[in-house]
Amino acid sequence: MNVAADTKERILTTARELFHGRSYADVGIKEICTLANVQKGSFYHFFPSKRDLAMAVIDYMADDWAHGFVAEAFDGALPPLERLDYMVDAVYYWQKAAKDLEGRMPGCLFGNLALEISTRDEVIRARINAVFTKASARFHEALDQAVERGDMAPLDSQATATAMLAYLEGVILLAKTRNDPEVVRQLGPAIKSIRIELKPPN
Amino acid sequence: MNVAADTKERILTTARELFHGRSYADVGIKEICTLANVQKGSFYHFFPSKRDLAMAVIDYMADDWAHGFVAEAFDGALPPLERLDYMVDAVYYWQKAAKDLEGRMPGCLFGNLALEISTRDEVIRARINAVFTKASARFHEALDQAVERGDMAPLDSQATATAMLAYLEGVILLAKTRNDPEVVRQLGPAIKSIRIELKPPN
DNA sequence: TTGACTTGACCGACCGGTCTAATATAATTT
DNA sequence: AAATTATATTAGACCGGTCGGTCAAGTCAA
């Protein structure tokens, strides 16, 4: 059981790294197995298919993410608007570290997979969408608190939260295309300037 | 010559559609050839490799794009800030039309390819980056004119232009993940709220 | 006759996935 | 506690299919 759990974990972490660093299609099961020191038979004992592995990796990463720097960034102790900066910083340092290590900016695993797979696999698309929805909720929370504290004028906090997430993903996309994490640093802070006003009551 | 040009064009348009609708890795040369009514030998007469095809598709699309709705959107006759709305609208209608036709939102070909391939192929990455740089220049232009006309307070127009492009890409990414073009309509207009201030002179 | 273009059979490599047999590990019976 | 059974895991050879790409022989216009 201990050994088994370890094998499964090794597959997951290896697959996550490879998918993130390259792409879903570009990484073969054989390669994952080799790097994880696992035989093919073992792999297919734990995962019915590559597709299922992808979903497991998404869940795994989402979990790590939610309990990792996203949890830190959106820590209630921080002033709401500072959480946005914290989030941007976290993205920057993460991408910078990855680039220093591997030479390339991997970008956001969810964004990557979304654009690569979501036209072909409805289930995976929905899965990634759920991750985004959850992330957006954190922004939403922070915005509501900021408004409540009088840090910013009232606005459509839900739409703005989604817009901020979109912006963050867009910045990461552009930074990856330039292979330059500094883009995140330069453009990221402007996330606070995004505003969608409340629909005027009829 | 006429026939040949036609064959090459058929390959390009077919490949562009397929790459855009699915992904680079997911579309095989055989499939492209079948749909384009071309034999494999002919294909390799025009394109040395799949990779070269991808680059040709990028150039082809960038050209179409630049002379198509981007040219319209950034027509100098339009007031600068309205060009942004025009651009957002164009994206919306395009994506909506594609979804109504195929059932899925294809997103932005350049964004898709960037996230899928740019970690693996430096040349293609640079190519897509160039397209983005060019697009960003259009935003830059519009912003400068807007400032000049007094439509908006002075700002770091270059950085803001890049940020706006990032936002647009991010919105498209999110909309694709939700498979819902309406996201573009809802979030798109907020592009005008993005601001990056000028660095204060030392 | 030349050279651009087409045809389609063909190639080795690799893909995701299967299968059978061996081997640990745990549960059950005696 | 030992023996037995059941089950979870590992091992890796193997499979059909598809991939990007090659090639030799042809067609056709200039």
Side-chain angles (χ1 to χ4, degrees):
Chain A
M1 160 183 156
N2 214 348
V3 178
D6 192 58
T7 301
K8 193 172 181 180
E9 183 111 353
R10 239 159 43 230
I11 294 172
L12 275 172
T13 56
T14 307
R16 179 178 60 174
E17 273 171 37
L18 293 178
F19 287 159
H20 194 187
R22 305 226 290 285
S23 75
Y24 174 73
D26 205 59
V27 175
I29 286 169
K30 191 180 165 190
E31 186 182 1
I32 296 172
C33 287
T34 304
L35 262 87
N37 258 305
V38 165
Q39 298 300 333
K40 231 175 188 188
S42 294
F43 177 92
Y44 279 99
H45 171 74
F46 290 106
F47 301 98
S49 71
K50 190 185 181 185
R51 203 178 147 254
D52 288 275
L53 170 67
M55 295 195 289
V57 165
I58 290 169
D59 292 346
Y60 188 67
M61 184 74 158
D63 208 63
D64 249 40
W65 214 44
H67 294 92
F69 71 80
V70 173
E72 286 176 34
F74 287 97
D75 187 333
L78 251 62
L81 289 183
E82 280 182 33
R83 295 176 210 166
L84 300 178
D85 285 322
Y86 193 111
M87 186 72 190
V88 168
D89 277 355
V91 168
Y92 167 71
Y93 286 115
W94 184 24
Q95 296 293 321
K96 174 115 178 26
K99 189 191 167 182
D100 288 346
L101 210 73
E102 327 235 357
R104 297 192 202 86
M105 248 200 66
C108 169
L109 174 67
F110 303 115
N112 296 351
L113 290 179
L115 293 200
E116 183 184 0
I117 317 186
S118 72
T119 37
R120 285 233 326 172
D121 193 310
E122 193 61 19
V123 177
I124 293 186
R125 203 216 84 232
R127 206 96 151 199
I128 298 174
N129 188 40
V131 174
F132 282 152
T133 302
K134 230 172 172 176
S136 166
R138 298 305 193 97
F139 282 100
H140 189 179
E141 224 174 84
L143 288 178
D144 276 343
Q145 289 177 25
V147 169
E148 199 178 354
R149 286 166 41 119
D151 289 346
M152 67 192 314
L155 43 49
D156 185 337
S157 56
Q158 174 151 4
T160 305
T162 311
M164 285 177 168
L165 177 62
Y167 180 65
L168 197 59
E169 283 292 328
V171 167
I172 295 172
L173 184 154
L174 223 65
K176 178 172 172 172
T177 308
R178 288 208 189 149
N179 195 27
D180 183 6
E182 299 303 327
V183 172
V184 176
R185 213 188 211 169
Q186 195 205 359
L187 304 184
I191 194 173
K192 297 192 297 297
S193 69
I194 296 173
R195 278 187 66 90
I196 298 182
E197 305 299 335
L198 279 164
K199 289 228 172 78
N202 300 342
Chain B
M1 160 183 155
N2 214 348
V3 179
D6 192 58
T7 300
K8 193 172 180 180
E9 183 111 353
R10 240 158 45 227
I11 294 172
L12 276 172
T13 55
T14 306
R16 179 178 61 175
E17 272 171 38
L18 293 178
F19 287 159
H20 194 188
R22 305 225 294 283
S23 76
Y24 174 73
D26 203 60
V27 175
I29 286 170
K30 191 180 165 189
E31 186 183 1
I32 296 171
C33 287
T34 304
L35 263 88
N37 258 304
V38 165
Q39 298 298 334
K40 228 170 188 195
S42 292
F43 176 92
Y44 279 98
H45 172 74
F46 291 105
F47 301 98
S49 71
K50 189 186 181 185
R51 201 178 148 256
D52 288 276
L53 170 66
M55 295 195 288
V57 165
I58 290 169
D59 292 345
Y60 189 66
M61 183 75 157
D63 208 63
D64 248 41
W65 214 44
H67 295 91
F69 71 81
V70 172
E72 285 176 37
F74 288 97
D75 186 334
L78 251 63
L81 289 183
E82 280 181 33
R83 295 176 210 167
L84 301 178
D85 285 321
Y86 193 111
M87 186 73 190
V88 168
D89 279 355
V91 168
Y92 167 72
Y93 286 115
W94 185 22
Q95 297 292 321
K96 174 114 177 26
K99 190 192 167 183
D100 289 346
L101 209 73
E102 328 235 357
R104 296 192 203 86
M105 247 200 66
C108 169
L109 174 67
F110 302 114
N112 296 351
L113 290 179
L115 294 199
E116 183 185 359
I117 316 186
S118 72
T119 39
R120 298 253 35 198
D121 193 309
E122 193 61 20
V123 177
I124 293 186
R125 203 215 85 233
R127 206 96 150 197
I128 299 174
N129 187 40
V131 174
F132 282 152
T133 301
K134 229 172 173 177
S136 165
R138 297 303 193 100
F139 284 99
H140 189 181
E141 223 174 84
L143 289 177
D144 276 344
Q145 289 178 24
V147 169
E148 199 178 350
R149 286 166 42 119
D151 290 346
M152 67 192 314
L155 75 172
D156 186 337
S157 56
Q158 173 152 6
T160 303
T162 312
M164 286 178 167
L165 176 63
Y167 180 65
L168 197 58
E169 284 292 327
V171 167
I172 296 172
L173 185 154
L174 223 66
K176 177 172 172 172
T177 308
R178 288 207 189 150
N179 195 27
D180 181 8
E182 298 304 325
V183 172
V184 176
R185 215 189 210 169
Q186 195 205 0
L187 304 183
I191 194 174
K192 297 190 299 294
S193 69
I194 296 173
R195 277 188 66 90
I196 298 180
E197 304 299 335
L198 279 164
K199 288 231 171 74
N202 301 340

